[in-house]
Amino acid sequence: ELRISGEKAANDRLMRDDRLKTRFMAFVTHDLKSPLVAIRGYTEGILEERFGPLTEKQRDGLAISVRNIDRLQALIRQLDEFEHVDGADFKLATSDFDLVELIHETVVDFQPEIDRRHLTVDLCTAQTLEVQADRDRIGRVLANLVANALTYSPEDAVVRIGTYTGEEDGRVLVTVADRGAGIPTAAQE
């Protein structure tokens, strides 16, 4: 009987912790939505020149900001949805898109950091590469890989991004290589 009551207490704690985590995630996602709506609204207003004229560089930078605000809003929606569904309901939103275009967009998103650290991004890609995948999720993976490469590269270094297609199976391999210290051997597994 002691064993059963101990298991029940542990199970009750896990259920309570899960409820707290769910409530916390609901609050966080809700609290992130409002400032992003305001930021997007003002950014669009500036982009539409409601507050004065813009240079072409400013317009490009603001367009990149709007695109990234949209990505953040999509991530928040996905977090919100994830909290309300079982993992078995997870579905990819696949579509046909140009992977090289997505790589270029990702690099442009990080251009201020690239310039600030005097880094060079060397793209070893085809002109276009049509793939069928979940564009948003592939974009998140690319952004994480590029952000890590930029973060851990020494100044004045080169970051190489390449795409390679499998002749036989049609798979695509994307590589992001940098000159950072890398993952310690003990942590690689």
Side-chain angles (χ1 to χ4, degrees), residues 3 5 13 16 25 28 31 35 41 44 52 66 92 111 117 119 121 126 134 139 141 160 162-163 169 171 178 181 189:
R3 181 176 174 205
S5 66
R13 277 193 306 276
R16 185 195 74 230
M25 287 302 294
V28 167
D31 288 348
E44 281 182 331
V66 168
L92 296 174
Q111 197 63 53
R117 306 242 351 266
L119 299 170
V121 176
D134 187 318
V141 170
R160 286 188 171 76
T163 58
D169 61 7
R171 291 181 187 214
D178 62 73
E189 189 176 316

Side-chain angles (χ1 to χ4, degrees), residues 81-173:
E81 290 168 8
F82 183 74
E83 285 301 312
H84 298 299
V85 297
D86 185 291
D89 294 338
F90 178 79
K91 293 199 177 25
L92 296 174
T94 58
S95 63
D96 294 329
F97 65 93
D98 183 355
L99 181 60
V100 173
E101 180 181 296
L102 181 59
I103 291 169
H104 282 275
E105 285 177 14
T106 303
V107 171
V108 167
D109 289 348
F110 289 100
Q111 197 63 53
E113 180 68 8
I114 292 166
D115 293 343
R116 187 182 71 74
R117 306 242 351 266
H118 309 287
L119 299 170
T120 301
V121 176
D122 183 19
L123 297 176
C124 305
T125 64
Q127 293 288 0
T128 63
L129 184 56
E130 287 294 317
V131 297
Q132 185 177 62
D134 187 318
R135 190 179 198 283
D136 290 339
R137 286 191 171 83
I138 295 296
R140 287 203 320 251
V141 170
L142 281 170
N144 285 331
L145 292 172
V146 171
N148 286 342
L150 299 177
T151 298
Y152 296 107
S153 289
E155 283 199 16
D156 299 313
V158 175
V159 173
R160 286 188 171 76
I161 303 172
T163 58
Y164 308 92
T165 56
E167 298 288 323
E168 296 170 14
D169 61 7
R171 291 181 187 214
V172 175
L173 172 68

